[in-house]
Amino acid sequence: MFLFRPTPCLLFHTISKNTMNMASISSDHQQPFLSSLGKASGDFDVDEEQQPLSNGGHPTENFSFISCILPFLFPALGGLLFGYDIGATSSATISIQSPTLSGTSWYDLNSVEIGLISSGSLYGALIGSVLAFKVGDFLGRRKELIASAVLYLVGALITAAGPTFVIMMIGRVVFGIGIGLAMHAAPMYISETAPSNLRGRVISLKEFFIIIGMVMGYAIGSLMVDVTAGWRYMYGVSSPLSVIMAIGMWWLPDSPRWLLLCAIQGKENRHDLREDAIHCMCRLRGQPVSDTAAQQVDEIIAELSLSGELNSISTVEMFRGKYLKALVIGCGLVLFQQITGQPSVLYYAGSILQSAGFSAASDATRVSILLGLVKLIMTGVAVLFVDNFGRRPLLLGGASGMVISLLFLGSYYTFLGDAPAIAVVGLLLYVGCYQLSFGPIGWLMMSEIFPLRMRGRGMSLAVLVNFGANAIVAFAFSPLKDLIGDGNLFFMFGGVALLSLVFIFFKIPETKGLTLEEIEAKLL
């Protein structure tokens, strides 16, 4: 892994003086911003006319593609481990209940205890989201990801070795706290370090990694489900990946934008933090950025100054003006991501396929692999086209397909019970359209839309909404099914999907090709 370490960081000290001089003479309007670093955080002299990004200027974003791989790969492992936990748990709950294969004396678990095993990491993720609200901006993206990797490792080992149900559940919750921190910090680190013309693809690839993790979990679970104490191996397999993630994040530099936020808020020596940000930019973007790193850093400083990013944001201020608009967009997307029925439809997939006469439906693990592959393929399509077509077209097209697929499923259970092909088409269409839209783009928009000053807290609230809505929808599925019937339940989800289409049309802006600073200046 160290063979790919970018070389510009070694040249930084010899070129920094020249690059700063180039930046300082590149244009007259940049002079106030460069000198502002030497002032107290409340003394930035910024004219309203001097707005390099908000008036359409765009900093040069040179980069080496190879140098951008590791800053994506190691944070994305946090998503892969999240997906792996989902996939592995589906088989682990089967293994742990077997009198002959569980390898325990406490295999006779009731439905509540099995539900706790399945959802334990989800409740831990809620705790992690709350913790991220308090410590995310203090730790920074990199240290938060290191902490999440350590929690992944500890949680996996406790779960795999758990001698009792209670200790196993402690491990599940600890692992879940790691999920909460990782899903909070990884999108921010990737979005803040990726070039703007690659940002959509790499953040969507994080969702791709989640699906890869799910397929890995389903596959390993299928192999281990007939092995004595196989559930221990299923959970233990994630340990080496968490170690790789921790080492990788330890080696990677901090996010330059987080360092600059600390600089302009006066948390440490501003000049030193600016130098650190330039150094990190060189490491993250490679040789091509060596001549323009200082200019890019100063452009970011300028825009943060113009945006009023000089003090820590208060909780009350988060619900005003552009910050409220960002919360509505970010939290609204992830709320619709869940309440359009995604947890329930996937939960119900096995019985849908069984009723449709799928030969593989008798084997739950094989059905899960099939759906995982469909999700993987459609997420790959989203990754390929998100920076070409844009966010809005994929969201609008995907949500429209979800409405149609949910109507198919509702019609199957209400009118067309003798046409099982309708159920299969509806299920596969739903999974495909979700992964083309809400799946990857919800996380992408969430990482783009929050201003830097509130990005840590805004992301933590959005992640909390995501996991909270997931838990509520999954919990409410069975009672609602019994109360209103299968067909009406899917019609209800179809109505919610239609509302999500209206929300996307009127509320979601297009962020394709814009830097994070331009998104804040132009769209909020």
Side-chain angles (χ1 to χ4, degrees):
M1 121 180 117
F2 291 92
L3 294 176
F4 294 95
R5 184 167 182 168
T7 57
C9 60
L10 301 177
L11 302 175
F12 170 75
H13 292 292
T14 63
I15 66 172
S16 59
K17 182 176 180 180
N18 291 334
T19 54
M20 285 188 287
N21 289 337
M22 290 175 63
S24 65
I25 64 174
S26 59
S27 60
D28 291 339
H29 73 260
Q30 290 178 351
Q31 294 299 325
F33 306 137
L34 300 178
S35 61
S36 67
L37 274 166
K39 302 180 180 183
S41 61
D43 298 332
F44 283 86
D45 294 331
V46 179
D47 260 342
E48 290 185 0
E49 297 178 356
Q50 298 168 330
Q51 299 186 19
L53 296 181
S54 57
N55 281 345
H58 199 301
T60 303
E61 289 192 287
N62 299 323
F63 62 92
S64 162
F65 181 80
I66 292 178
S67 297
C68 294
I69 293 175
L70 296 182
F72 155 77
L73 180 62
F74 291 124
L77 287 178
L80 187 143
L81 287 165
F82 172 39
Y84 178 82
D85 182 72
I86 296 173
T89 298
S90 66
S91 296
T93 52
I94 298 173
S95 172
I96 203 169
Q97 293 180 86
S98 171
T100 58
L101 298 175
S102 68
T104 71
S105 59
W106 40 273
Y107 61 85
D108 188 18
L109 302 175
N110 58 42
S111 59
V112 172
E113 290 169 327
I114 291 299
L116 287 174
I117 292 174
S118 300
S119 60
S121 61
L122 183 61
Y123 296 124
L126 290 172
I127 297 172
S129 303
V130 174
L131 290 175
F133 185 85
K134 292 293 185 180
V135 303
D137 281 335
F138 171 75
L139 289 176
R141 296 40 164 148
R142 172 177 162 270
K143 290 180 181 176
E144 188 176 353
L145 283 166
I146 293 172
S148 72
V150 173
L151 289 166
Y152 274 143
L153 175 62
V154 174
L157 292 177
I158 293 175
T159 303
T164 66
F165 174 78
V166 172
I167 294 178
M168 180 196 180
M169 282 306 305
I170 292 173
R172 298 289 294 138
V173 172
V174 170
F175 193 94
I177 295 173
I179 291 174
L181 293 181
M183 301 310 289
H184 172 258
M188 289 194 296
Y189 186 90
I190 296 170
S191 69
E192 290 180 359
T193 58
S196 59
N197 60 332
L198 287 182
R199 189 176 63 241
R201 284 191 176 95
V202 294
I203 297 179
S204 299
L205 268 174
K206 184 192 72 67
E207 174 72 12
F208 192 72
F209 267 54
I210 294 175
I211 307 305
I212 290 176
M214 290 175 62
V215 174
M216 285 176 55
Y218 294 142
I220 292 175
S222 181
L223 292 173
M224 296 290 181
V225 74
D226 293 324
V227 176
T228 301
W231 62 273
R232 297 188 188 274
Y233 299 109
M234 295 176 202
Y235 286 123
V237 163
S238 61
S239 301
L241 290 175
S242 62
V243 172
I244 294 172
M245 177 184 170
I247 294 173
M249 290 311 306
W250 185 269
W251 176 76
L252 285 174
D254 282 307
S255 158
R257 284 180 168 89
W258 176 75
L259 290 172
L260 294 176
L261 178 64
C262 294
I264 64 174
Q265 292 182 347
K267 294 180 179 179
E268 295 183 38
N269 182 282
R270 289 179 291 279
H271 181 270
D272 290 345
L273 286 172
R274 178 184 178 274
E275 296 296 307
D276 289 343
I278 296 172
H279 178 71
C280 292
M281 184 77 74
C282 289
R283 286 190 59 191
L284 291 163
R285 301 287 177 85
Q287 177 66 42
V289 82
S290 59
D291 291 335
T292 59
Q295 179 183 354
Q296 290 187 46
V297 165
D298 290 324
E299 291 278 9
I300 294 171
I301 293 170
E303 191 62 25
L304 293 177
S305 303
L306 292 167
S307 301
E309 305 284 334
L310 303 181
N311 299 300
S312 298
I313 190 169
S314 66
T315 302
V316 173
E317 197 175 356
M318 287 178 62
F319 297 93
R320 294 175 180 170
K322 66 179 182 181
Y323 303 111
L324 176 59
K325 183 177 180 180
L327 278 175
V328 169
I329 294 170
C331 294
L333 264 180
V334 295
L335 179 65
F336 278 114
Q337 187 185 57
Q338 301 301 327
I339 64 175
T340 48
Q342 187 257 353
S344 299
V345 171
L346 292 181
Y347 173 82
Y348 210 37
S351 61
I352 293 174
L353 291 173
Q354 283 180 330
S355 66
F358 253 50
S359 60
S362 60
D363 188 337
T365 58
R366 293 179 184 176
V367 172
S368 299
I369 293 173
L370 170 66
L371 291 176
L373 289 174
V374 172
K375 288 166 72 68
L376 196 64
I377 292 169
M378 295 310 296
T379 305
V381 173
V383 169
L384 290 175
F385 292 109
V386 66
D387 279 326
N388 294 328
F389 291 168
R391 285 59 159 157
R392 275 176 58 87
L394 290 181
L395 280 171
L396 290 169
S400 300
M402 289 169 63
V403 172
I404 295 171
S405 65
L406 289 165
L407 291 178
F408 278 176
L409 290 170
S411 298
Y412 168 70
Y413 283 103
T414 306
F415 315 114
L416 305 172
D418 57 346
I422 295 293
V424 177
V425 171
L427 176 63
L428 297 180
L429 180 64
Y430 177 90
V431 171
C433 289
Y434 177 85
Q435 290 306 137
L436 191 66
S437 55
F438 279 115
I441 297 177
W443 290 102
L444 167 59
M445 293 288 295
M446 190 166 66
S447 67
E448 292 180 323
I449 203 65
F450 292 116
L452 180 58
R453 187 183 177 202
M454 73 167 295
R455 190 167 295 145
R457 290 188 170 189
M459 279 289 294
S460 66
L461 285 177
V463 172
L464 187 64
V465 168
N466 177 276
F467 287 118
N470 189 320
I472 291 172
V473 172
F475 174 80
F477 173 73
S478 292
L480 282 174
K481 182 168 69 73
D482 293 339
L483 181 64
I484 64 177
D486 297 337
N488 289 331
L489 180 59
F490 285 114
F491 283 136
M492 183 186 76
F493 284 140
V496 176
L498 186 61
L499 288 177
S500 76
L501 196 59
V502 175
F503 174 79
I504 293 166
F505 185 82
F506 287 104
K507 291 294 185 180
I508 303 302
E510 182 54 72
T511 59
K512 180 185 72 171
L514 299 176
T515 67
L516 297 178
E517 290 71 41
E518 286 176 321
I519 291 171
E520 178 177 355
K522 294 180 177 181
L523 303 181
L524 296 179

